């Protein structure tokens, strides 16, 4: 209770709504978006952990693995801009669900390809670029959802706490 009081006294304006029902929704939104982004980050960090073993298992060079990383990061960066603009115009909930499902499908395809030792360079490049597009749905959409539920005056404190999801994902 003291931690809650300390956190929410960091700003002069109330962060959570006075209305009990709205406050409950704010807490739900915070937790759902927090764990949604943490799960996306887990997907990225897992790759960093298994990449050396995967490279050896698949018989791929470190240059190829670096190319995959560059393709993912480049596609992710460009797609963040595109998806962020798109999510401003479309239903953000549908975009977020689409991104989560696509990420799961891409990782499932990667798993199947690795089991059967499919080493096709174009296929793996396509899968990593698809992964970049799929994961780019999350950050802009989740920030939009968070900013819709919390007042502008206290949003910095809320998003500062919320951004710890990256550490949890690690």
């Amino acid at each position: 209770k003291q931690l809650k009081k300390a956190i929410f006294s960091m700003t002069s304006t109330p962060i959570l709504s006075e209305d009990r029902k709205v406050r409950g929704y704010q807490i739900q939104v915070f937790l759902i978006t927090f764990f949604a982004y943490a799960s996306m980050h887990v997907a990225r960090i897992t790759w960093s952990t298994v990449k050396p073993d995967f490279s050896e298992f698949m018989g791929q060079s470190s240059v190829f693995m670096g190319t995959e990383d560059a393709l993912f990061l480049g596609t992710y960066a460009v797609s963040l801009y595109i998806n962020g603009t798109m999510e401003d115009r479309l239903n953000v909930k549908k975009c977020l669900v689409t991104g989560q499902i696509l990420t799961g499908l891409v990782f499932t395809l990667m798993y199947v390809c690795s089991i059967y030792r499919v080493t096709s360079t174009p296929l793996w490049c396509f899968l990593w670029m698809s992964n970049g597009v799929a994961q780019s749905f999350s950050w802009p959409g989740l920030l939009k959802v968070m900013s819709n539920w919390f007042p502008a005056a206290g949003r910095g404190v809320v998003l500062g706490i919320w951004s710890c999801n990256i550490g949890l994902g690690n």
Side-chain angles (χ1 to χ4, degrees), residues 39-59:
S39 72
M40 291 299 235
H41 211 267
V42 164
R44 284 186 220 138
I45 293 303
T46 303
W47 173 244
S48 299
T49 305
V50 301
K51 187 170 32 171
D53 294 332
F54 182 80
S55 174
E56 184 179 321
F57 175 74
M58 295 294 286

Side-chain angles (χ1 to χ4, degrees), residues 3-4 24 63 66 69 72 82 89 95 105 148 154 157 161 165:
L3 176 63
K4 179 182 170 185
V63 171
D69 285 343
F72 166 74
I82 294 168
R89 294 175 176 83
C95 291
L105 288 174
N148 286 339
V157 172
I161 296 167
N165 55 23

Side-chain angles (χ1 to χ4, degrees), residues 14-67:
I15 295 173
L16 294 174
S17 173
E18 297 292 326
D19 182 339
R20 185 178 179 149
K21 187 174 182 178
V22 173
R23 186 173 48 244
Y25 288 139
Q26 285 176 315
I27 292 169
Q28 285 178 1
V29 165
F30 182 92
L31 292 173
I32 290 168
T33 58
F34 183 92
F35 288 109
Y37 195 72
S39 72
M40 291 299 235
H41 211 267
V42 164
R44 284 186 220 138
I45 293 303
T46 303
W47 173 244
S48 299
T49 305
V50 301
K51 187 170 32 171
D53 294 332
F54 182 80
S55 174
E56 184 179 321
F57 175 74
M58 295 294 286
Q60 298 290 357
S61 70
S62 60
V63 171
F64 177 75
M65 303 308 273
T67 301

Side-chain angles (χ1 to χ4, degrees), residues 101-162:
I101 290 171
L102 287 175
T103 300
L105 288 174
V106 169
F107 273 100
T108 301
L109 286 171
M110 288 178 178
Y111 175 71
V112 170
C113 288
S114 66
I115 285 179
Y116 291 105
R117 293 188 185 233
V118 176
T119 58
S120 167
T121 300
L123 174 65
W124 280 99
C125 290
F126 171 77
L127 288 173
W128 276 104
M129 291 173 73
S130 299
N131 185 30
V133 171
Q135 288 198 28
S136 70
F137 278 93
S138 60
W139 186 256
L142 292 172
L143 286 178
K144 181 178 179 182
V145 169
M146 288 294 292
S147 60
N148 286 339
W149 278 94
F150 293 92
R155 196 175 299 148
V157 172
V158 172
L159 289 176
I161 296 167
W162 183 83

